[in-house]
């Protein structure tokens, strides 16, 4: 178990990556605090983790609200005595429009959730990482490989990526590592909805849509969200003890940095 005795907070837990990540972290020995604006998913995941012999708690949280993020950190300390890991995965997508056509209100919301939300969560947990720890920010391949309609989302994620490096530089003296996992297509609930929608629009099968997306990377598949969670678990663990300020691309090889 690579996270034995760790206490990990995961923000923005939804039915896809967040849920799989929380379950896998628990299976690797971590006590997990699941934070999300709604308890619909988190409550069910906590039940599944507990039934499997793990330990987890769900906390309602809007990462834009200081009182919410402080409550998440306080709950982790009250329940488990410490915090060793944080995954910032909360996000807001401003809509699939060109960047200059995206309403400013939606752009600001994306920035508030993705950048300011991750900074707020980090501020709340760092004082409790007295023995060191690991923060992992979840990025997007659209900051590496621009795609039409992803501009507003990518801009906010890019800002978070820059913050990752500065946090790594500034928190290293406290023994806290900060890294980024950049994810591409994720075979989970969101992509499955996209496959259905696109197949209906184009009058083709879902398998044909899947095959087209999968053909864009050397592994010839859409990376499953549960498998992609493994890269984040690695960054959280002591296996990555000498890794900080780094970016790991988790996309099946669709984008390969020089």
């Amino acid at each position: 178990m690579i996270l034995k005795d760790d206490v990990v907070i995961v923000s923005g837990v939804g039915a896809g990556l967040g849920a799989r990540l929380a379950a896998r972290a628990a299976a690797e020995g971590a006590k997990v605090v699941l934070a999300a604006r709604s308890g619909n998913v988190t409550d069910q995941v906590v039940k599944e983790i507990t039934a499997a012999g793990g330990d987890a708690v769900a906390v309602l949280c809007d990462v834009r609200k200081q009182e919410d993020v402080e409550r998440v950190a306080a709950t982790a300390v009250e329940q488990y005595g410490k915090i060793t890991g944080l995954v910032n995965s909360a996000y807001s997508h401003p809509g699939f429009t060109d960047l200059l056509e995206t309403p400013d209100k939606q752009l600001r919301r994306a920035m508030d959730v993705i950048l300011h939300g991750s900074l707020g969560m980090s501020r709340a947990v760092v004082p409790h990482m007295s023995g060191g720890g690991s923060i992992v920010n979840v990025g997007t391949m659209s900051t590496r490989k621009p795609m039409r309609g992803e501009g507003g989302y990518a801009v906010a994620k890019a800002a978070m990526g820059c913050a990752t490096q500065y946090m790594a530089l500034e928190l290293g003296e406290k023994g806290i590592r900060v890294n980024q996992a950049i994810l591409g297509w994720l075979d989970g609930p969101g992509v499955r909805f996209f496959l259905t929608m696109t197949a209906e629009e184009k009058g083709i099968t879902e398998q044909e849509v899947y095959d087209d997306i999968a053909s864009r990377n050397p592994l010839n598949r859409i990376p499953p969200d549960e498998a992609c969670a493994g890269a984040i678990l690695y960054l959280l663990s002591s296996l990555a003890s000498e890794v900080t300020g780094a970016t790991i691309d988790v996309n099946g090889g669709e984008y390969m940095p020089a």
Side-chain angles (χ1 to χ4, degrees):
M1 293 186 177
I2 65 173
L3 296 178
K4 183 175 174 57
D5 298 326
D6 282 335
V7 177
V8 175
I9 295 172
V10 183
S11 76
V13 174
L17 176 68
R20 302 284 72 78
L21 175 61
R24 287 199 60 185
E28 290 292 345
K31 295 175 175 62
V32 186
V33 179
L34 295 78
R37 287 189 302 141
S38 167
N40 293 339
V41 172
T42 55
D43 290 345
Q44 181 59 38
V45 176
V46 167
K47 290 179 182 177
E48 293 171 0
I49 289 173
T50 303
D55 198 342
V57 62
V59 183
L60 294 178
C61 174
D62 183 335
V63 296
R64 297 171 298 174
K65 298 179 180 179
Q66 182 179 351
E67 62 270 24
D68 282 13
V69 299
E70 289 179 352
R71 184 172 64 250
V72 173
T75 299
V77 174
E78 289 167 5
Q79 291 269 6
Y80 306 122
K82 62 181 180 180
I83 300 171
T84 63
L86 167 66
V87 180
N88 284 310
S89 63
Y91 77 94
S92 173
H93 199 298
F96 297 94
T97 55
D98 285 356
L99 182 57
L100 296 183
E101 296 176 3
T102 305
D104 189 62
K105 181 180 179 180
Q106 291 169 221
L107 288 173
R108 290 180 182 276
R109 176 185 169 84
M111 194 68 75
D112 283 345
V113 173
I114 294 170
L115 174 63
H116 296 290
S118 64
L119 292 176
M121 288 295 301
S122 300
R123 288 191 192 99
V125 306
V126 163
H128 302 289
M129 290 181 164
S130 56
S134 173
I135 297 173
V136 182
N137 294 326
V138 178
T140 173
M141 188 174 65
S142 58
T143 61
R144 307 282 227 172
K145 182 181 179 181
M147 293 181 284
R148 194 79 178 257
E150 289 284 294
Y153 177 60
V155 165
K157 285 288 190 179
M160 185 182 70
C162 183
T164 299
Q165 294 181 315
Y166 274 89
M167 289 167 62
L169 175 66
E170 296 160 0
L171 297 177
E173 62 189 25
K174 300 178 184 293
I176 299 172
R177 299 178 296 105
V178 188
N179 294 288
Q180 180 180 210
I182 289 189
L183 307 182
W185 289 92
L186 286 173
D187 194 353
V191 164
R192 286 293 154 178
F193 174 78
F194 175 82
L195 296 180
T196 301
M197 178 182 68
T198 304
E200 292 175 353
E201 289 178 353
K202 295 186 175 182
I204 57 179
T205 66
E206 290 185 27
Q207 187 61 48
E208 287 175 302
V209 180
Y210 178 99
D211 290 343
D212 175 61
I213 297 170
S215 68
R216 301 172 194 174
N217 71 60
L219 296 182
N220 200 37
R221 62 173 177 264
I222 300 177
D225 49 17
E226 184 169 4
C228 291
I232 297 173
L233 298 181
Y234 160 72
L235 290 173
L236 287 172
S237 78
S238 60
L239 294 174
S241 64
E242 307 311 304
V243 180
T244 194
T247 295
I248 293 183
D249 288 87
V250 190
N251 53 49
E254 182 173 349
Y255 177 85
M256 299 185 187

